[in-house]
Amino acid sequence: MKRKLVLTMLALQVGFCAWAQSVRPAIKPDANIEKQVKEQLSKMSLDDKVGQMCEITIDAITDFSKAKTGFALSPVQTDTVLGKYRVGSILNVPLSVAQTPKVWRTLISELNRKSMAVNGIPQVYGVDQIHGATYTMGATFFPQPIVQAASFNKNIPFRVAEVSAYESRACLIPWVYAPVMDLGRNPNWPRMWESFGEDDYVNSVMAVQAVKGYQGPDPNHIDMNHVAVSIKHFMAYGVPVTGKDRTPSMITERELKERYFEPFKHCVENGALTLMVNSASNNGVPFHANKKMLTDWLKDGLNWDGMIVTDWADINNLYTREHVAADKKHAIAMAINAGIDMSMDPYSVDFCTLLKQAVNEGLVPMSRIDDAVSRILRFKYRVGLFDKKTWDKPERIAKNYPEFASSKFAAEATRFAEEGEVLLKNEDGILPLKKDTRILVAGPNANTLRGLNGGWSYTWQGDKTDQLVGDKYNSIYKALANKFGAANVTLAEGVRYKAGSDWEAEDASDLEKAVAAAGNSDVIVACVGENSYCETPGNFNSLMLSENQRHLVKALAKTGKPIVLVLNGGRPRIINDIVPLSKAVVDVMLPGNYGGDALANLLAGDCNFSGKLPFTYPRTTSSLHTYDYKVSENQSTMAGNYNYDAKMDVQWPFGAGLSYTTFKYSNLRVNKTSFDVNDELTVSVDVTNSGQKAGKEAVLLYFSDVVASLVPDNRNMCGFDKIDLQPGETKTVTLKVPARSLAFVNSDMKWALEEGEFLFHCGNQQVKLNCTKTATWE
């Protein structure tokens, strides 16, 4: 019996490997690089190899005794980490705060010189850069990814990534931990703002554009204006059951394949060089120990020769938190055998010692070590690190980046924020405001850059933003004062965020002062939302907007002055009790250093709103929906005695967003009335600016599978584009939709495009098509 089982498993393994080899390589191999990798690997000892597989934080080699005068390496610790243990990668920001480009260049150049002197292998330095070169003083900060998604402009994530890469490489930083493509489908999750929203199609499109912007046209040869990416976090990280960061998810394998794997698959197929893994577990299996996902689905299934890195200390978590390993050595063996190539340890070099022991004890085969190290070396060759010109003589390299922090980049950051800020309500046409309007600016987000940027901004939590930037950028209050005149704009926050590590702590002692100040205004701009946070510290216990802030809005409403409610935060907060009190509602989310200027331009009507929500905004804490819900989730009262009511009830739906003009959709058509799996459908629709102002419109295309063997989704997005229209102008938007993209994963874990009726939706238009034949594939 055992022999039959072993033979069967071997047959399956051989069959899978043969199938994997038939898949076109995700990244076409470069023969010269492969030769260099092979030659380098042949010269390496086991100590060299396990060192390459270890990544240590910069804190472990920092001389903190000199921190008051600036950053400096500790000679003893550096010699130990790089010399004795031959660690191949360093990460994070020195002294936990953004550094100047000069400090970055000096640091990375010195680390590479030391590493090359040990074994001829350069360091690869990695940094979290989510919305610009955000750990560098003076760099251009763009809107966070959730705002980029709200633009529904594919060019924006590409350009943000391209500029971020340029300014990162100006610091000699070759590797960024971005983009994030965790689907933001649970608004309790504190990292929702790092994603491109709740939809897998939008995440796929935007993340692929970001990968191309960061890495450039050739993943085998990353030039000095580009950087390598680490797409993250593989996968289903954004949907923990509790909503708390780094806690378990419970997603079926079918849904993983159909929805959560898709953005990663598309990015890998478009050349992403590295990938970072989900810190948590799914259905009881930690992703850092999940060979099926890391090796079978990702490496073999996509024929991908890239490199997998852990997240922060996540191999340690296999025994300290997840309890699937007895100790660190067995946790390391488990993770490496599952497919991990590099461990972000991040403080201790005992990973190197323990992995070497695991190899010598037969817990990890040498073939797995050689495979992992080959992937790391290949990565370093692709980024050009073996060429000293990419990091040596940093003062010479600095001259190659004349546009660093340029006015051109600042103008782009402003425009991108304008396209991503979303108008959700505009009762009685209160917006745009006239230039002589007297404005009271209130609320805790009125006069802070920290709130506009969020986390990953100068520091991990973004908590030092205001003190670091001073008056260089404009808060919402300062931007409005510049736009409407200082004499017309008054600041009286009423509620402030308290200084310190508790991002939720508020001071409401000045609430009555704000109410009193309202008497001299024509309109109140109430800026509410969240203070900055990042990762686990952003966990909270209530999705409701704070009681202080809601009380402030209610008190201001009693003055009778119209309220423009500005929402500024990383995730939707429940505000159903104050929305009716507001004449207008604008969700700016986290628009970056230039987000206040963008809002002022929009409120004044100098430019037009065009953003749309990339997530569903919930109305209540107990009804958290996504737009692609199963059709059986939205039901009205059932006939008979059973009072069955499961109607969808949201504050604003996915794709909501108003403009100062109106758009008319007409003549939705498809080039075929019937199709099969091999067809590509061409969908066209005419869009007319039927209003009086010029405007941009995000055209969103959805489809619905009317009847399926599994309960179908309400609808799914399959295309989008953004167009600019003058009053009275009509444009035809044409989108290509491969028929295969209308498929779902069936109960047999196969992709299935089933015979039957499909509906395409765009604006208020709908058209019916028929699939003539069922097709299934792996």
Side-chain angles (χ1 to χ4, degrees):
M1 185 67 179
K2 286 184 178 179
R3 183 172 179 275
K4 286 184 178 179
L5 179 60
V6 169
L7 288 173
T8 301
M9 292 181 68
L10 283 172
L12 287 171
Q13 187 175 15
V14 170
F16 183 82
C17 290
W19 171 77
Q21 291 171 1
S22 70
V23 177
R24 180 171 58 89
I27 304 172
K28 185 178 180 180
D30 180 282
N32 186 51
I33 289 177
E34 294 307 309
K35 179 183 177 182
Q36 291 174 307
V37 168
K38 187 175 181 180
E39 290 176 352
Q40 187 68 51
L41 188 68
S42 69
K43 296 184 289 186
M44 296 171 69
S45 67
L46 181 56
D47 288 322
D48 287 324
K49 292 175 181 179
V50 297
Q52 286 299 303
M53 296 172 67
C54 184
E55 184 176 41
I56 297 293
T57 179
I58 190 64
D59 288 353
I61 55 175
T62 296
D63 187 346
F64 285 99
S65 68
K66 299 180 180 179
K68 291 183 179 179
T69 58
F71 171 76
L73 290 172
S74 165
V76 173
Q77 288 301 106
T78 303
D79 286 345
T80 299
V81 169
L82 303 189
K84 180 179 179 180
Y85 290 95
R86 306 169 196 191
V87 167
S89 181
I90 305 294
L91 81 151
N92 221 344
V93 58
L95 304 177
S96 298
V97 67
Q99 300 294 317
T100 65
K102 184 177 181 180
V103 170
W104 275 118
R105 290 191 291 263
T106 301
L107 163 63
I108 292 175
S109 183
E110 184 174 355
L111 289 175
N112 274 303
R113 282 196 297 270
K114 289 180 179 295
S115 288
M116 291 293 285
V118 172
N119 59 7
I121 302 175
Q123 284 289 311
V124 60
Y125 204 109
V127 181
D128 288 282
Q129 309 272 45
I130 305 301
H131 64 121
T134 48
Y135 274 148
T136 302
M137 293 302 300
T140 309
F141 283 23
F142 291 93
Q144 293 279 9
I146 196 69
V147 185
Q148 298 174 41
S151 74
F152 283 95
N153 183 338
K154 303 169 190 176
N155 297 322
I156 286 179
F158 175 87
R159 184 59 179 158
V160 168
E162 190 173 48
V163 175
S164 301
Y166 177 91
E167 295 193 337
S168 295
R169 208 64 190 246
C171 302
L172 302 189
I173 295 171
W175 186 26
V176 299
Y177 306 134
V180 177
M181 61 199 71
D182 305 304
L183 306 189
R185 296 172 71 81
N186 184 340
N188 289 294
W189 184 51
R191 305 189 71 170
M192 183 172 175
W193 47 274
E194 296 181 53
S195 79
F196 294 111
E198 72 184 41
D199 180 60
D200 60 284
Y201 178 81
V202 175
N203 271 268
S204 297
V205 171
M206 295 301 205
V208 165
Q209 290 302 308
V211 167
K212 292 178 177 179
Y214 279 121
Q215 293 193 167
D218 183 358
N220 276 307
H221 303 95
I222 306 297
D223 63 37
M224 285 297 287
N225 287 332
H226 294 90
V227 296
V229 299
S230 185
I231 55 177
K232 62 184 189 181
H233 305 82
F234 187 75
M235 58 185 160
Y237 181 39
V239 283
V241 174
T242 65
K244 302 294 174 79
D245 185 44
R246 287 173 162 81
T247 59
S249 58
M250 299 290 285
I251 304 298
T252 66
E253 187 172 307
R254 190 191 68 78
E255 192 175 3
L256 282 178
K257 185 175 183 179
E258 180 178 291
R259 198 181 303 280
Y260 296 92
F261 186 61
E262 282 295 285
F264 292 96
K265 172 180 178 289
H266 288 289
C267 285
V268 163
E269 291 174 338
N270 279 275
L273 291 181
T274 78
L275 172 145
M276 187 182 293
V277 184
N278 177 356
S279 296
S281 63
N282 185 66
N283 291 324
V285 182
F287 276 96
H288 281 76
N290 196 326
K291 183 178 183 295
K292 184 174 188 177
M293 301 298 167
L294 298 180
T295 298
D296 296 349
W297 282 26
L298 183 63
K299 289 181 173 179
D300 291 344
L302 298 180
N303 197 1
W304 180 61
D305 63 4
M307 189 266 285
I308 297 177
V309 64
T310 76
D311 205 339
W312 191 269
D314 280 337
I315 287 183
N316 296 344
N317 289 334
L318 294 179
Y319 74 98
T320 62
R321 185 183 70 190
E322 308 292 359
H323 299 287
V324 296
D327 54 36
K328 185 168 183 176
K329 180 168 65 177
H330 288 85
I332 290 170
M334 182 180 292
I336 301 304
N337 287 332
I340 295 295
D341 301 309
M342 180 184 287
S343 173
M344 189 187 293
D345 217 60
Y347 289 102
S348 173
V349 290
D350 64 353
F351 169 88
C352 302
T353 302
L354 294 171
L355 177 54
K356 184 177 178 180
Q357 289 177 10
V359 173
N360 290 332
E361 294 170 14
L363 297 175
V364 177
M366 198 65 207
S367 59
R368 177 73 269 273
I369 299 296
D370 286 345
D371 175 61
V373 177
S374 294
R375 292 170 181 270
I376 294 167
L377 293 174
R378 181 181 297 115
F379 169 45
K380 290 183 176 184
Y381 278 111
R382 282 170 165 169
V383 183
L385 298 178
F386 280 89
D387 183 351
K388 290 185 179 181
K389 293 179 182 178
T390 64
W391 49 262
D392 201 15
K393 297 181 180 179
E395 65 284 351
R396 171 185 54 80
I397 296 174
K399 299 176 182 179
N400 297 328
Y401 300 92
E403 289 193 312
F404 182 90
S406 65
S407 58
K408 173 185 174 182
F409 292 168
E412 289 180 300
T414 305
R415 179 167 59 82
F416 297 166
E418 291 169 353
E419 287 205 37
E421 296 181 3
V422 184
L423 178 62
L424 294 169
K425 182 179 180 181
N426 192 19
E427 194 173 283
D428 300 328
I430 187 174
L431 298 179
L433 300 174
K434 296 179 180 179
K435 291 297 173 69
D436 58 352
T437 302
R438 294 176 302 165
I439 302 170
L440 170 66
V441 188
N445 294 68
N447 196 29
T448 169
L449 271 299
R450 176 180 176 178
L452 290 176
N453 280 289
W456 299 124
S457 302
Y458 302 104
T459 62
W460 176 38
Q461 296 295 310
D463 54 330
K464 294 182 174 62
T465 297
D466 289 296
Q467 67 191 68
L468 288 171
V469 302
D471 295 326
K472 185 174 182 180
Y473 309 103
N474 295 319
S475 65
I476 293 174
Y477 158 65
K478 291 178 181 177
L480 290 175
N482 290 342
K483 179 66 65 174
F484 292 90
N488 290 326
V489 180
T490 301
L491 174 68
E493 288 121 307
V495 175
R496 294 187 180 90
Y497 297 119
K498 292 182 179 180
S501 59
D502 183 359
W503 64 272
E504 291 186 280
E506 296 174 346
D507 177 2
S509 59
D510 288 340
L511 191 147
E512 294 304 323
K513 291 182 181 179
V515 173
N520 296 320
S521 67
D522 299 317
V523 66
I524 300 168
V525 176
C527 305
V528 300
E530 298 181 320
N531 209 355
S532 72
Y533 55 82
C534 194
E535 298 190 87
T536 303
N539 288 341
F540 59 9
N541 294 317
S542 175
L543 195 55
M544 294 290 295
L545 184 67
S546 78
E547 185 177 355
N548 286 332
Q549 295 188 49
R550 292 180 5 256
H551 182 53
L552 171 66
V553 174
K554 291 173 184 177
L556 292 171
K558 289 179 180 179
T559 67
K561 298 301 174 75
I563 293 175
V564 176
L565 189 66
V566 175
L567 309 176
N568 172 205
R571 54 194 157 189
R573 304 297 292 266
I574 304 299
I575 53 172
N576 55 41
D577 55 342
I578 59 174
V579 170
L581 306 178
S582 308
K583 283 286 187 178
V585 179
V586 179
D587 193 352
V588 302
M589 294 162 280
L590 299 175
N593 277 331
Y594 301 96
D597 300 305
L599 178 64
N601 293 340
L602 290 162
L603 295 184
D606 293 342
C607 59
N608 203 341
F609 283 97
S610 64
K612 296 188 177 185
L613 290 181
F615 54 82
T616 304
Y617 201 115
R619 186 186 300 275
T620 65
T621 58
S622 59
S623 297
L624 304 180
H625 305 294
T626 55
Y627 87 94
D628 51 3
Y629 57 83
K630 296 297 181 183
V631 293
S632 51
E633 293 181 68
N634 187 21
Q635 299 292 326
S636 56
T637 303
M638 186 183 294
N641 293 327
Y642 182 41
N643 184 20
Y644 180 89
D645 186 349
K647 289 183 290 186
M648 288 289 159
D649 185 24
V650 302
Q651 192 73 58
W652 292 287
F654 178 96
L658 304 174
S659 169
Y660 294 144
T661 190
T662 55
F663 297 96
K664 179 184 177 183
Y665 286 72
S666 62
N667 195 24
L668 178 65
R669 67 253 187 214
V670 185
N671 64 328
K672 297 174 180 291
T673 57
S674 61
F675 64 93
D676 64 29
V677 70
N678 298 311
D679 286 324
E680 180 178 69
L681 304 174
T682 302
V683 184
S684 301
V685 66
D686 298 335
V687 183
T688 302
N689 183 342
S690 54
Q692 303 302 310
K693 292 181 180 292
K696 296 179 181 179
E697 173 70 344
V699 179
L700 312 183
L701 178 66
Y702 304 90
F703 77 92
S704 298
D705 193 346
V706 178
V707 176
S709 57
L710 296 178
V711 178
D713 295 341
N714 167 55
R715 58 178 178 167
N716 296 103
M717 182 168 283
C718 57
F720 64 87
D721 200 0
K722 197 163 193 177
I723 55 173
D724 197 342
L725 292 170
Q726 296 298 312
E729 184 180 10
T730 298
K731 287 183 179 178
T732 298
V733 176
T734 299
L735 299 167
K736 302 287 187 178
V737 181
R740 293 171 69 92
S741 67
L742 309 182
F744 64 95
V745 178
N746 65 17
S747 56
D748 295 327
M749 285 298 293
K750 293 183 178 181
W751 284 97
L753 179 65
E754 294 182 341
E755 178 182 350
E757 189 174 273
F758 285 77
L759 295 176
F760 280 92
H761 319 258
C762 192
N764 61 352
Q765 300 287 294
Q766 182 173 294
V767 65
K768 185 186 302 183
L769 284 80
N770 187 61
C771 178
T772 58
K773 185 178 180 181
T774 296
T776 61
W777 62 94
E778 293 293 344

